[in-house]
């Protein structure tokens, strides 16, 4: 095939170099998705596991000459060559090392293998080309420069409406902005769509449902200029409007009915549906969008009067993934949904380092972190109303009380047992505190405690309390401190002298507790272990006497239980164990730490039974999944490299400087959550209104004026029509932040009413239709497809609100798809097949794929077959006397139009082929 081997080698070299260049280009020009994957998944792995040995600031220099804290170091590699081959995980040494399959190449070193999930993330990252933003040419731009120059950070201005030549086409200012761009390129808009196309477009856009045949007939018969405006108004007034547009917002809000992967707890959110129903109601009532934002972030801090339904809005914050209840990750998710969802800013990229592109320093991330760290989710969630409690409420309340009583009794019993164990082992904790302080390597402290079956944090509490007590004479612990002070080599000789001193209670001016003095009478302790044992017996005896007194009081049914031991000296010993701040006490949230495995499992099982009742019982009343401010707000600290165990400088809770400016003031009211909401929803914020206007435009035209709807940062796509975006944004705010008014303005424009006809010349000049010379053709999304099938079959159930329903199993529900149960951890296959938004994170827009599974579902699904049978059984179809009439009736019901001639012939042939032969 080739003339010589040399020619072949040259050709191979050219091809190989081309592949390398492709890989390098991929790595050097990462996509936004690739950058986000690196920042969220890969950088934390490198920071936590690799930088100690493979970073420029490693104590002994980078091992093996390998630097992993820069992109160039990663691609250059170390003594054994490049660490990765972008696009090829199997040839990448980094992947080989983390898999631990080669005894001679294992990173992290032996017994430190990464979790399978992290290894899978590294493999996926390499396969996507190893996108890595850590390079000099991609470093963060100057905050000042980005703020001064970038379009999205500029105040919203009202631009003049441009003059155009074809003024007859202009129905409102939108058209002027669109037409001006087209005319500048020598292009013209498409003709107006026919009336059938318009009413179907409007019906699907606003309600997600096809128009009824009679609605189409009425519209075709209405010859007035206001005919289409009346259609738009009717659709906006329909309850179906809120159901349709709520689903768009639920994508942004990463709505799901479950928590994702959790361990031994109820996976369902019992009251997720109340957030979904709130969004539907808010949209149907045209709640101003600025108020919509504030309620979702801080409804608990508003004057709501008697109507508490707005509390459900806070599901926006609380319905995210649970990340095995890892608090930093939960807060990170909340920051992400707030900043990307509402303002189009990727603030969470600054969790571990200053944002690489936008003027968002790490300190600003932790300012917002402090807001959410100063809040918690109350276990007793507020009712959203008592006027219409479910019929089965009394039955539910009785069963819930029974389950709660069982949980509380078991938990209180085990808590008391845990406290008794801590107090009976006070001597062991004293000795552990002594030995811990003598450790040269303090990192071994936890291991020492666990080896002795002690709680490490309680050991630390004893150390802290003993340090506090040592600062002045302590009647109980003065001997302890004296024995601790003895040099180890002199303990045996000098302990006799100390024991004699304290057993005689010689220091009259600084007396010690007589009971403590007694334990040192007789033989002196030979080591600190014996001193700890004597103290331990003193405390155990005092606690035992106290427990016996309390039990006796309960048996005698005394009105008042004892408040103290009769002997004041023994009571002083008891107070060491029981007084507020005692190291032998535990807060309510600390017991889980000291419970053994069977106890923890039983507590979780009983708690799960309560939560399961909330999620499934028909009598469970609706409640709001709210946040509440903590009594004391948290002063956040920057986590160095994103590590919660490495706190850095303290920062105030305040808004982002890129929006608020350098003269911003820290939040003052509680957590600052309400002030944050007000800052986001402010007219002075240049991002919020622009972002929602762009989202609305996206769902009408199939693409936003800004093609990156959740990223308005400096690497975002610039708006295709910047003047139009600002005009609509200013108009939107001037008109009360009304989304319904925005729909009217958009849909009554000539730009919206264009046909989707192709034009070869325009398609060559503008293949992506960025200039809007036609209406984009769009496929039905999953919800519209399923709801349309139910609608044309005549079986669509229009019941509003309530608990989510399973739409995937037989017998199939006829409820609208927006009410379908969304399982976050195991999203059903039909959802994935038809490009449903991932509920794991805020979703800016859905992908649109064409895959064989979609056709296979439509041809074989029992649900589809059921709807086809129902359609055939509709009276207007079933009563037809001929195949031709049947085909015509089917087209009228399904497509609201008569069939074309060839469609009639095709349908007749199909029906006749299905008919039984005589």
């Amino acid at each position: 095939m080739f003339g010589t081997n040399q020619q072949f080698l040259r050709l191979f070299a050219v091809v190989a170099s081309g592949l390398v260049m492709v890989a390098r280009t991929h790595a050097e020009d990462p996509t936004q998705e690739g950058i986000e994957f690196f920042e969220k998944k890969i950088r934390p792995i490198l920071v936590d596991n690799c930088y100690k040995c493979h970073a420029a600031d490693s104590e002994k220099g980078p091992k093996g000459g390998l630097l992993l804290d820069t992109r160039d170091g990663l691609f250059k590699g170390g003594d054994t060559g490049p660490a990765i081959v972008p696009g090829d995980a199997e040839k990448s040494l980094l992947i080989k090392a983390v898999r631990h399959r080669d005894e001679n190449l294992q990173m992290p070193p032996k017994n430190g293998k990464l979790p399978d999930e992290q290894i899978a993330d590294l493999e996926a990252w390499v396969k996507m080309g190893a996108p890595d933003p850590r390079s000099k040419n991609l470093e963060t731009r100057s905050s000042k420069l980005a703020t001064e120059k970038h379009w999205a950070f500029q105040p919203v201005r009202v631009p003049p409406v441009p003059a155009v030549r074809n003024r007859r086409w202009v129905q409102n200012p939108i058209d002027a902005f669109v037409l001006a761009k087209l005319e500048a390129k020598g292009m013209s808009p498409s003709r107006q769509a026919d009336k059938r196309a318009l009413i179907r477009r409007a019906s699907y856009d606003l309600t997600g449902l096809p128009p009824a045949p009679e609605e189409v007939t009425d519209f075709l018969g209405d010859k007035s200029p206001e005919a289409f405006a009346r259609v738009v108004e009717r659709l906006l007034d329909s309850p179906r409007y809120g159901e349709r547009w709520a689903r768009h917002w639920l994508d942004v809000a990463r709505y799901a009915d479950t928590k994702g992967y959790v361990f031994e707890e109820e996976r369902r959110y019992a009251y997720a549906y109340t957030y979904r129903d709130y969004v539907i109601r808010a949209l149907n009532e045209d709640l101003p969008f600025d108020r919509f934002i504030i309620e979702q972030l801080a409804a608990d801090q508003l004057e709501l009067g008697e109507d508490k339904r707005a509390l459900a809005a806070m599901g926006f914050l609380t319905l995210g993934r649970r990340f095995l209840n890892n608090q930093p990750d939960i807060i990170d998710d909340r920051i992400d949904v707030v900043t990307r969802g509402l303002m189009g800013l990727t603030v969470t990229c600054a969790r571990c380092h200053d944002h690489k592109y936008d003027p968002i320093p790490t300190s600003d991330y932790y300012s917002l972190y402090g807001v959410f760290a100063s809040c918690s989710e109350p276990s007793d969630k507020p009712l959203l109303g008592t006027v219409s409690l479910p019929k089965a409420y009394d039955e539910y309340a009785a069963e819930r009380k029974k389950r709660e009583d069982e949980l509380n009794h078991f938990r209180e019993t085990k808590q008391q047992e845990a406290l008794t164990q801590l107090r009976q082992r006070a001597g062991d904790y004293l000795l552990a505190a002594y030995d811990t302080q003598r450790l040269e390597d303090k990192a071994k402290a936890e291991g020492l405690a666990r080896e002795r079956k002690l709680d490490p944090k309680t050991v630390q509490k004893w150390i802290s309390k003993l340090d506090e007590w040592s600062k002045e004479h302590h009647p109980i612990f003065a001997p302890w401190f004296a024995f601790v002070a003895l040099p180890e080599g002199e303990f045996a000789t000098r302990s006799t002298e100390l024991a004699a001193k304290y057993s005689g209670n010689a220091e009259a001016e600084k007396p010690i507790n007589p009971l403590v003095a007694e334990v040192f009478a007789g033989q002196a302790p030979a080591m600190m272990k014996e001193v700890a044992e004597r103290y331990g017996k003193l405390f155990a005896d005092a606690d035992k006497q106290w427990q016996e007194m309390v039990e006796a009081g309960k048996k005698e049914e005394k009105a008042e239980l004892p408040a103290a031991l009769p002997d004041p000296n023994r009571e002083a010993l008891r107070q060491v164990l029981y007084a507020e701040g005692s190291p032998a006490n535990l807060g309510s949230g600390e017991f889980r730490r000291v419970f053994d495995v069977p106890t923890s499992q039983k507590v979780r099982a009983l708690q799960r039974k309560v939560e399961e009742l909330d999620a499934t019982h028909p009598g469970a009343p609706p409640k709001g999944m709210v946040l509440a401010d903590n009594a004391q707000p948290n002063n956040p600290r920057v986590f160095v490299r994103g590590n919660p165990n490495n706190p850095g400088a303290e920062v105030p809770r305040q808004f982002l400087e890129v929006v608020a400016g350098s003269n911003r003031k820290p939040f003052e009211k509680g957590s600052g959550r309400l002030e944050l909401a007000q800052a986001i929803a402010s007219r002075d914020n240049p991002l919020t209104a622009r972002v929602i206007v762009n989202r609305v435009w996206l769902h009408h035209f199939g693409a936003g004026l800004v093609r990156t709807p959740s990223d308005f940062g400096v690497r975002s796509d610039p708006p295709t029509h910047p003047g139009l975006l600002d005009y609509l944004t200013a108009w939107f705010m001037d008109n009360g932040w009304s989304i319904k008014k925005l729909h009217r303005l958009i849909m009554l424009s000539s730009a919206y009413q264009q046909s989707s006809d192709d034009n070869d010349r325009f398609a060559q000049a503008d293949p992506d239709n960025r200039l809007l010379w036609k209406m984009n053709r769009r496929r039905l999304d999953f919800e519209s497809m399923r709801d349309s099938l139910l609608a044309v079959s005549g079986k669509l159930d229009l019941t509003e609100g309530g608990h989510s329903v399973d739409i995937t199993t037989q017998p199939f529900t006829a409820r609208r798809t927006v009410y379908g149960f969304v399982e976050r951890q195991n999203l059903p296959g039909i959802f994935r097949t038809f490009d449903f938004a991932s509920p794991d994170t805020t979703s800016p827009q859905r992908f649109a794929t064409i895959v064989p599974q979609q056709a296979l579902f439509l041809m074989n699904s029992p649900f589809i077959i059921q709807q086809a049978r129902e359609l055939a059984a509709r009276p207007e179809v079933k009563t037809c006397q001929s195949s031709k009439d049947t085909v015509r009736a089917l087209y009228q019901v399904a497509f609201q139009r008569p069939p074309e001639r060839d469609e009639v012939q095709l349908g007749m042939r199909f029906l006749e082929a299905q008919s039984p032969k005589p």
Side-chain angles (χ1 to χ4, degrees):
M1 185 174 182
F2 297 103
T4 64
N5 286 338
Q6 191 66 28
Q7 287 177 313
F8 173 79
L9 290 173
R10 276 201 298 268
L11 178 61
F12 179 80
V14 170
V15 172
S17 65
L19 291 175
V20 170
M21 286 302 294
V22 169
R24 286 180 178 172
T25 300
H26 195 127
E28 290 177 2
D29 298 309
T31 64
Q32 186 61 37
E33 292 77 9
I35 292 166
E36 289 184 13
F37 189 87
F38 176 86
E39 298 297 357
K40 282 188 172 292
K41 300 287 189 179
I42 305 306
R43 189 189 289 267
I45 298 175
L46 299 177
V47 169
D48 293 342
N49 301 280
C50 307
Y51 282 10
K52 184 177 180 180
C53 300
H54 297 288
D57 58 357
S58 302
E59 290 183 10
K60 299 179 180 180
K63 291 187 177 180
L66 175 61
L67 284 170
L68 296 179
D69 57 343
T70 67
R71 187 207 64 179
D72 292 340
L74 186 68
F75 290 153
K76 179 181 178 183
D79 298 341
T80 55
I84 59 170
V85 178
D88 195 335
E90 299 306 317
K91 293 182 180 178
S92 297
L93 290 176
L94 176 66
I95 301 303
K96 185 177 180 180
V98 298
R99 286 172 174 168
H100 277 219
R101 295 175 186 170
D102 185 340
E103 293 183 0
N104 299 316
L105 183 60
Q106 295 186 353
M107 291 294 161
K110 292 182 179 180
N111 303 322
K113 185 181 178 183
L114 297 175
D116 291 344
E117 182 181 357
Q118 292 187 349
I119 295 173
D121 287 338
L122 286 167
E123 291 171 345
W125 173 62
V126 172
K127 288 176 182 177
M128 69 173 66
D132 188 344
R134 300 173 301 168
S135 64
K136 292 181 180 178
N137 63 320
L138 293 178
E139 284 299 314
T140 310
R141 301 185 185 187
S142 156
S143 295
K144 182 178 179 181
L145 177 64
T147 304
E148 289 180 353
K149 301 294 185 182
H150 185 55
W151 64 268
F153 302 149
Q154 307 310 308
V156 175
R157 307 291 186 195
V158 183
V161 177
V164 294
R165 293 190 294 273
N166 183 9
R167 286 180 291 179
R168 293 181 59 187
W169 190 75
V170 176
Q171 295 194 55
N172 66 34
I174 290 175
D175 300 327
F177 284 99
V178 171
L179 189 57
K181 286 268 188 177
L182 289 171
E183 290 181 344
K185 296 291 185 180
M187 301 165 68
S188 58
S190 299
R191 66 176 177 84
Q192 187 179 55
D194 65 73
K195 295 186 77 172
R196 275 196 174 87
L198 273 181
I199 191 171
R200 279 178 61 85
R201 181 183 299 170
S203 294
Y204 274 115
D205 272 7
L206 291 182
T207 70
L209 294 169
E214 57 272 20
E215 292 171 344
V216 176
T217 301
D218 290 345
F219 179 51
L220 294 177
D222 188 345
K223 305 301 182 182
S224 67
E226 294 79 25
F228 186 62
R230 280 196 283 268
V231 168
V232 171
E233 203 62 41
R234 172 178 59 78
L235 294 171
L236 287 173
D237 288 341
S238 168
R240 312 286 81 81
Y241 159 75
E243 292 169 339
R244 171 58 172 167
W245 278 78
R247 186 58 257 180
H248 294 321
W249 185 254
L250 295 178
D251 285 2
V252 175
R254 78 309 186 217
Y255 174 87
D257 291 286
T258 61
K259 303 172 183 177
Y261 181 70
V262 289
F263 185 67
E264 290 190 346
E265 65 179 272
E266 174 57 46
R267 295 170 53 250
R268 284 168 292 193
Y269 282 123
Y271 304 107
Y273 72 94
T274 63
Y275 176 69
R276 178 205 63 214
D277 290 351
Y278 161 82
V279 175
I280 293 172
R281 180 174 62 87
L283 290 168
N284 276 332
E285 295 177 358
D286 199 21
L287 183 71
F289 187 72
D290 53 349
R291 175 72 179 193
F292 183 62
I293 291 172
I294 292 172
E295 288 184 355
Q296 289 181 101
L297 301 188
D300 61 312
Q301 299 182 31
L302 302 176
E303 294 292 336
L304 299 177
E306 294 296 320
D307 187 355
K308 305 296 184 186
R309 290 178 297 170
L311 291 175
M314 297 182 69
F316 180 73
L317 295 174
T318 56
L319 278 172
R321 283 177 62 198
R322 277 316 201 205
F323 304 96
L324 287 173
N325 293 313
N326 180 284
Q327 199 64 16
D329 286 345
I330 291 173
I331 293 176
D332 182 74
D333 171 68
R334 290 173 181 169
I335 293 172
D336 188 50
V337 76
V338 168
T339 55
R340 275 209 296 158
L342 301 178
M343 296 189 294
L345 282 181
T346 55
V347 171
T348 53
C349 290
R351 181 178 181 179
C352 304
H353 53 82
D354 289 350
H355 200 296
K356 291 295 178 183
Y357 313 109
D358 295 335
I360 303 169
T362 304
S363 57
D364 273 12
Y365 172 89
Y366 286 99
S367 288
L368 299 185
Y369 186 97
V371 172
F372 295 110
S374 299
C375 307
S376 57
E377 298 176 61
S379 56
D380 188 15
K381 295 174 173 55
L383 284 169
L384 300 179
T386 57
V387 177
S388 56
L389 289 174
K391 292 181 181 179
Y393 173 74
D394 291 340
E395 176 188 334
Y396 156 81
E399 178 61 23
R400 195 177 200 279
K401 184 178 185 305
K402 175 184 172 183
R403 297 188 187 193
E404 281 185 327
D405 288 347
E406 182 183 9
L407 168 64
N408 293 335
H409 175 72
F410 179 79
R411 184 159 50 197
E412 288 168 6
T413 300
K414 292 300 180 180
Q415 286 178 353
Q416 189 57 47
E417 290 177 4
L419 287 173
T420 299
Q421 179 76 355
L422 287 178
R423 289 159 181 163
Q424 289 291 316
R425 298 195 65 187
D428 294 334
Y429 278 101
L430 275 170
L431 182 61
Y434 169 76
D435 289 340
T436 296
Q437 289 183 298
R438 292 161 58 83
L439 288 173
E440 291 184 7
D441 184 357
K442 299 302 181 185
K444 296 180 180 179
E446 183 173 345
L448 182 148
R450 296 199 183 281
E451 183 180 333
R452 300 181 188 185
K453 294 183 168 40
L454 302 173
D455 174 43
K457 290 195 175 180
T458 301
V459 173
Q460 292 300 321
K461 288 168 68 175
W462 272 102
I463 291 172
S464 298
K465 202 65 180 175
L466 287 168
D467 181 61
E468 177 187 327
W469 286 332
S470 68
K471 292 182 174 19
E472 56 186 37
H473 175 75
H474 196 286
I476 292 174
F477 284 103
W480 172 267
F481 299 132
F483 282 110
V484 167
L486 292 178
E488 188 174 358
E490 302 176 20
F491 191 94
T493 56
R494 295 183 58 183
S495 67
T496 302
E497 176 187 344
L498 275 181
K501 172 183 176 181
Y502 288 113
S503 63
N505 201 10
E507 292 185 297
E509 293 183 5
K510 296 181 178 180
I512 63 170
N513 187 300
L515 297 174
V516 176
E518 287 178 15
V519 301
F520 293 108
Q523 187 174 359
M527 59 183 71
M528 281 303 298
K529 181 179 179 182
E530 290 184 23
V531 179
E533 288 172 349
R534 296 184 191 190
Y535 268 97
K537 187 175 186 309
L538 273 175
F539 291 127
D541 289 346
D543 185 49
K544 181 180 179 183
Q545 183 179 346
W546 170 253
Q547 295 292 344
E548 290 171 351
M549 282 184 61
V550 171
E551 287 300 316
K554 289 179 179 178
K555 287 180 180 179
E556 296 172 11
E557 298 183 353
K558 291 184 177 180
E560 293 185 7
L561 294 176
L565 290 170
D567 180 358
N569 293 317
R570 197 167 294 277
E571 172 62 16
L573 290 169
R574 188 187 76 86
Q575 285 298 320
V576 170
L577 305 178
Y578 282 82
E580 184 177 354
S582 164
N585 279 338
L586 290 174
S588 59
E590 296 182 282
F591 283 100
R592 183 182 300 177
R593 192 179 72 236
V594 298
F595 283 162
D596 58 23
V597 173
T599 298
S600 297
Q601 291 176 336
K602 181 69 178 293
V603 169
R604 284 194 289 264
L606 292 174
Q607 180 66 48
R608 193 161 60 246
K609 286 177 64 178
V610 175
E611 294 171 352
E612 181 183 35
L613 188 75
D614 292 339
T616 60
H617 199 286
K623 293 184 177 181
M625 296 183 60
V626 301
L627 281 181
D629 281 5
N630 297 338
Q632 292 295 327
N634 180 54
N635 291 320
R637 289 185 176 276
V638 171
F639 295 160
V640 178
R641 289 179 174 172
N643 185 353
N645 297 316
N646 189 11
E650 185 175 303
V651 293
R653 298 184 310 282
Q654 59 189 359
F655 198 37
L656 304 172
E657 183 179 1
V658 66
V659 179
S662 57
N663 295 323
R664 59 187 166 159
K665 295 180 179 179
F667 297 142
E668 298 177 348
K669 301 174 183 176
S671 68
R673 193 158 32 85
L674 177 58
E675 293 164 277
L676 172 63
Q678 291 167 337
I680 292 173
S682 170
R683 285 186 66 103
D684 296 330
N685 186 332
L687 293 164
T688 306
R690 280 185 175 126
V691 167
I692 187 58
V693 164
N694 189 63
R695 292 194 194 282
V696 173
W697 186 275
L698 159 69
H699 293 300
H700 280 304
F701 286 86
L705 295 169
V706 179
R707 299 295 173 106
T708 51
S710 283
D711 183 7
F712 276 37
V714 297
R715 284 176 61 84
S716 65
D717 283 357
T720 57
H721 297 72
L724 175 56
L725 178 60
D726 267 19
Y727 179 89
L728 289 175
T729 301
W731 186 95
F732 175 65
M733 292 188 288
D734 289 341
N735 282 270
W737 298 69
S738 166
I739 291 180
K740 282 191 176 183
K741 289 181 180 179
L742 183 60
H743 287 308
R744 291 188 192 98
L745 183 67
I746 291 173
M747 296 176 72
L748 297 181
S749 69
S750 293
Y752 176 83
Q753 296 175 34
Q754 291 181 95
S755 72
S756 55
D757 296 343
D758 276 329
N759 181 306
D760 290 342
R761 183 169 69 86
F762 296 170
Q764 286 284 336
D766 181 23
D768 294 330
N769 193 30
R770 289 176 177 263
L771 299 179
L772 300 171
W773 49 270
K774 67 172 183 175
M775 174 55 78
N776 292 312
R777 291 192 177 194
R778 287 176 287 148
R779 287 173 38 196
L780 294 184
D781 58 17
F782 171 55
E783 292 87 347
S784 294
M785 179 203 71
R786 181 180 174 277
D787 292 349
S788 293
L789 291 167
L790 288 166
V792 300
S793 72
K795 295 299 179 181
L796 182 62
D797 180 355
L798 295 178
T799 302
E800 298 173 23
H803 287 277
S804 297
V805 294
D806 181 5
I807 65 171
T808 63
T809 57
Q810 299 188 56
F812 296 112
T813 180
R815 295 286 302 279
R816 288 204 71 176
T817 312
V818 71
Y819 298 114
F821 189 87
V822 180
E823 165 60 85
R824 175 174 271 128
Q825 181 66 18
N826 300 300
L827 197 64
I830 185 176
F831 285 72
R832 295 193 299 271
T833 297
F834 288 96
D835 306 316
F836 189 81
S838 169
D840 280 344
T841 186
T842 177
S843 181
Q845 63 188 104
R846 297 189 184 182
F847 296 104
T849 64
I850 299 176
V851 294
Q853 291 89 333
Q854 295 166 352
L856 291 170
F857 173 84
L858 294 171
M859 289 189 291
N860 301 296
S861 164
F863 172 77
I864 299 292
I865 294 169
Q866 176 181 313
Q867 303 320 309
R869 287 173 176 160
E870 296 290 354
L871 173 59
R874 287 186 63 147
E876 56 265 64
V877 177
K878 188 176 183 180
T879 57
C880 291
Q881 300 300 309
S882 67
S883 296
K884 180 181 290 188
D885 290 342
T886 299
V887 173
R888 287 172 174 165
L890 286 170
Y891 269 81
Q892 281 293 346
V893 172
F895 303 116
Q896 303 86 50
R897 65 172 176 83
E900 301 289 341
R901 185 175 180 179
D902 58 340
E903 291 172 335
V904 173
Q905 296 300 321
L906 181 63
M908 289 175 62
R909 284 199 302 272
F910 176 82
L911 291 175
E912 289 164 3
Q914 304 303 311
S915 300
K917 302 296 181 184

